[in-house]
Structure formats: structure tokens, C-alpha cells
Amino acid sequence: MDDLTPQCNSSSQEYPCRYRNPDDQGTQYALIIIPVFLGVTTVLTITLILWKTCCRKWEQERAPIASLQDKPVSSESGYVAMAAVEHTLLPVRDPGLRQWEIPGDTAIEDLEFLRSGRFGPVCRAKLTQGGSSTAVVIKTLRDNSTTSKAKEFVNWIRFCARVCCHDNLVKMMFCQTELWPMYLIMEACSPGNLLHLLWELRKSDGESVDQVHEFSETSVYCIGKQVLAGLDYLASEQKLIHGDVAARNVLINSRLGVKISGLSLAFEVQQTGCVSSRSAAVVPVKWLAPERIMKLPMTVKSDIWSFGILLYELITLGSPPYPELKPLDTFPKLQHYYRMKRPDHCGAPLYDLMKHCWMWLPQDRPSFSAVIKHLDSYMYLAETKMICNKESMNMNQYSLIAGVVL
């Protein structure tokens, strides 16, 4: 039979039969297969490019760590002898940092990558000196950094050497600026991050977490006073404003000793006189005072507002603030005098202090000294019973509600 003979088994006249040419079927398959093949090839090519880019970036990020891991110790020179000697990007040596340079009899061991920081990888490590070992955090400069970035990193080390000398601030221990790689060694705390500890306490079932004893409202008062002492030192002695007061920027030890971290905004203001829009955007809106949201200059009273949010985090064992609101809906509600309700386990004096910290006008908020006095005066009324919050903490949900990238 001729290939062009119409093939039709239907008796209906509504849909006339069409000629079926085998070449037409092949053409239809080609029209489908070719675009699909091209699409898959394009996706694979893009994926390969992205993978290679990520690998290259990862290698660059890990390069300073590899140098630290491979470093021999030289006691003759008085400094750590690096496998990679003098680097072309090293800035002019600062005699003021000579006393902070890491001694030659000191070893850095057991490096563990934590995260990518402002200047490069941040690691946890063990510092061995004179037969004793100490847990430390090492902040390194990326291997591919520019000369200007290296100078900024040295300025950051100078800043830490001058500022981080209060009992409630994370202290600087050593640095390396005269050899490559450049790094800064800070003290570490255990359990560590306060926000993470609060989440662990939710799952403790009345047991201690990393030797932390029962966490009660009294503990909130104790931690709050130490945070205020550190913030007051920054403001009064160093003329600095922290700018990002939150549980995620507080470290804590097993005795509830507090160390404030996260001074990058204070450093930027000290260096440039202002906070860049990019840096300001890093601070989640739910921790910001109204004037900060309106992009007005941050003040000491801005930190007071954020301290009130920190108190809420403490008494709720790390709940996100304004849990019923999306981040972008927070400011309109604040304009209409909305404030968070009194949390469970929160006594009236503590809640009154929170509301005082959240006064709309900065001048109506208390000073650091007034808040410390309030905590001292009412601590005897604080509940000593362990705070319980059995609600599970979903990290994705927390990030979404809090507006924080974890």
C-alpha cells in the first residue's frame, strides 16, 4: 500500500483522516530530542563551572589553614617560622604589635574550620605553650587578599589589641603580622555561643548542659549584668557602640561568664566614622531600634533597645523575637506601639525593664548604669527555678521568623 494512503478507522466525518508520513514522525522526535539534549548539556556545563568555582574558592579559603597546620616552630627567631616566608602583601610592620606576635615556643594544633569570616577562614584550635594547652579561635587572612585588605586586617588586630581588654569582651591572645599567613588568635569559651547554648537547654530535661547549671531567671539577671558591663566599657572607655547586641554575639563559659564578640560594626565606625549600608544590612531588623531601621546614626540608646531583645532571647531560651510577625512587618507594628507580650517565666520587674528598653524615643530609654542598677535592685525577686521550653527549634523556621542567616 502506498505510504501516502490515508489510514483511518473512524467512521466519524467530524475529524477527517490525515495522511501519515513516516518522515513527519521522525521530524517530531527530532524537534523534541534536540532541545532536550541542548538543555541538559547547558545545565551540566553550568553546574561544572559552578563546581570548579566553588572548589577554587574553597581551596583559597583553606590555604592559610593548611599553612598553619604545616608550620614548624622555631625558638631561635622568636617567631613562628612558616613554610611560606615573607609575603609580598605584608604591610609595613607595626612595632606596637611586636609584643603580641606569637612566641616561637608556641604550637598551634588540631585546627578545625568553623566558618568564613570577614577577612578569611575562622578556625577552632589548641594552643600549646610551656606544656599547657588552651582552646583558642584563630581568624586568618585569605591567601589571595589584596594589599589594602591586608592593611585592614592589621588595623583590625590593632583594634582588638586596644579594645579587647575587658573581662566581658573576648580577649586577644596573640597575632602574626610579620610572617605569612597573617592571623589573629582570640580566647575561646566553652560551651561557647550563647544562642546555641539556649537551644541546647531546651533539650536538657533538667540535666546540665556542658557543665552549665540550672538556667533560671536569676541566670538571666547575671548574664544581663555582664553584657551591660562590657557594653558600658565600650561606650565610656572606648567611645564605641557595639551595634549588633544579640545572643548570637555573646560567648559564655560553664560558670555563666560572659564574653561579648561581634565588634565588626564598632571597628568599621572607628575606622570610617560610619557604617556602610552593606554592613548595616547584616544586622537583622528585629534586633534594631526604630531609629536604626530609619537609617539614623546608631547611639548608645540603640544598643539599649537591642539589649531588651537579648533579655527576651534569654528568658525564652533562644526564641526568635516577635515570633508572630514577619521581619518586614515588625517596624509598622512598632510604629503603632506594639511590643512583645510578657514571656513565660519572666517576672514583672524583668518585663518592665524590657519595655523600658523598648521606648520609642531614644532619650526615654534608660542608660547602661540605670539598667545595671535595676538588675541589681530586683535580682532578689528573680525566680531560681529552671526555665523550661520544650518547643523544638527548627533552624529553617527560626531563620525565616528571625530574619537571620545561620
Side-chain angles (χ1 to χ4, degrees):
M1 181 181 292
D2 193 338
D3 288 339
L4 298 181
T5 301
Q7 301 176 3
C8 183
N9 294 324
S10 174
S11 59
S12 173
Q13 299 300 318
E14 295 180 10
Y15 304 99
C17 299
R18 297 180 179 177
Y19 291 107
R20 295 184 179 176
N21 191 330
D23 294 337
D24 292 342
Q25 190 173 13
T27 303
Q28 290 175 356
Y29 286 144
L31 291 175
I32 295 174
I33 294 174
I34 292 175
V36 171
F37 175 77
L38 292 175
V40 171
T41 304
T42 303
V43 171
L44 290 175
T45 302
I46 294 174
T47 303
L48 182 61
I49 293 173
L50 291 175
W51 180 76
K52 288 186 176 181
T53 302
C54 291
C55 287
R56 190 179 301 111
K57 182 177 180 180
W58 185 85
E59 290 174 357
Q60 292 173 347
E61 191 79 356
R62 301 282 295 187
I65 302 176
S67 297
L68 281 172
Q69 290 173 327
D70 297 337
K71 76 173 187 64
V73 176
S74 172
S75 58
E76 298 178 358
S77 63
Y79 298 102
V80 179
M82 307 300 298
V85 294
E86 200 81 13
H87 194 281
T88 55
L89 293 181
L90 286 176
V92 177
R93 293 179 177 179
D94 184 353
L97 292 177
R98 181 63 59 84
Q99 61 178 319
W100 293 98
E101 292 287 329
I102 185 168
D105 61 348
T106 304
I108 298 173
E109 303 171 337
D110 301 336
L111 271 93
E112 178 185 352
F113 179 81
L114 292 177
R115 57 183 173 82
S116 294
R118 174 172 181 163
F119 297 99
V122 179
C123 312
R124 182 188 291 113
K126 184 172 68 175
L127 192 72
T128 302
Q129 184 180 27
S132 62
S133 297
T134 306
V136 295
V137 172
I138 301 181
K139 300 183 178 183
T140 63
L141 180 66
R142 289 183 183 90
D143 193 46
N144 61 339
S145 298
T146 62
T147 303
S148 60
K149 202 67 176 178
K151 290 180 178 179
E152 185 182 357
F153 186 66
V154 171
N155 288 337
W156 168 247
I157 295 175
R158 291 195 194 102
F159 175 85
C160 292
R162 178 175 63 86
V163 173
C164 299
C165 51
H166 188 272
D167 288 341
N168 296 121
L169 295 179
V170 178
K171 292 183 180 179
M172 171 178 167
M173 297 182 65
F174 299 109
C175 67
Q176 178 161 285
T177 62
E178 298 189 351
L179 295 171
W180 194 265
M182 297 169 62
Y183 55 84
L184 167 66
I185 301 178
M186 308 290 288
E187 65 176 335
C189 290
S190 179
N193 187 277
L194 174 58
L195 182 59
H196 296 168
L197 171 66
L198 295 174
W199 292 341
E200 287 298 316
L201 288 169
R202 291 175 175 237
K203 303 179 291 185
S204 64
D205 294 326
E207 300 177 357
S208 62
V209 177
D210 287 338
Q211 301 179 345
V212 171
H213 300 294
E214 289 190 352
F215 194 89
S216 63
E217 187 183 21
T218 301
S219 306
V220 174
Y221 276 71
C222 177
I223 292 173
K225 287 175 57 179
Q226 294 178 75
V227 172
L228 286 169
L231 295 176
D232 188 40
Y233 161 79
L234 286 175
S236 59
E237 299 294 330
Q238 300 293 339
K239 311 304 178 186
L240 293 171
I241 300 163
H242 188 283
D244 194 7
V245 179
R248 63 184 175 275
N249 285 326
V250 174
L251 302 180
I252 194 163
N253 63 28
S254 59
R255 298 179 301 278
L256 296 185
V258 165
K259 300 286 185 178
I260 300 174
S261 62
L263 294 174
S264 58
L265 286 183
F267 168 68
E268 186 169 328
V269 171
Q270 194 253 7
Q271 293 289 301
T272 65
C274 63
V275 177
S276 66
S277 56
R278 180 178 181 180
S279 298
V282 173
V283 184
V285 68
K286 287 190 173 185
W287 277 260
L288 291 178
E291 64 271 16
R292 294 278 307 277
I293 300 177
M294 293 186 288
K295 303 189 184 305
L296 298 175
M298 62 183 185
T299 65
V300 169
K301 296 303 181 74
S302 305
D303 276 356
I304 287 289
W305 177 289
S306 300
F307 176 76
I309 303 295
L310 171 60
L311 291 178
Y312 177 87
E313 292 184 276
L314 289 167
I315 202 67
T316 61
L317 297 185
S319 292
Y322 311 100
E324 70 284 3
L325 299 177
K326 296 179 181 178
L328 293 180
D329 295 335
T330 306
F331 184 62
K333 294 286 285 186
L334 293 177
Q335 288 179 301
H336 290 84
Y337 307 104
Y338 176 84
R339 297 296 183 269
M340 284 187 284
K341 296 179 181 179
R342 177 174 164 181
D344 295 336
H345 309 287
C346 182
L350 185 61
Y351 184 56
D352 288 342
L353 175 59
M354 290 183 193
K355 291 189 294 183
H356 199 182
C357 292
W358 299 332
M359 296 295 287
W360 180 267
L361 296 176
Q363 59 267 30
D364 292 337
R365 298 171 206 153
S367 62
F368 287 132
S369 59
V371 179
I372 293 174
K373 184 177 180 180
H374 180 100
L375 292 175
D376 279 332
S377 300
Y378 291 97
M379 181 176 282
Y380 77 98
L381 295 175
E383 182 62 64
T384 57
K385 184 179 179 181
M386 183 175 180
I387 298 173
C388 293
N389 188 343
K390 297 304 180 182
E391 183 180 354
S392 60
M393 181 58 64
N394 181 288
M395 293 298 98
N396 292 332
Q397 186 179 14
Y398 177 88
S399 297
L400 187 64
I401 296 174
V404 176
V405 178
L406 296 177

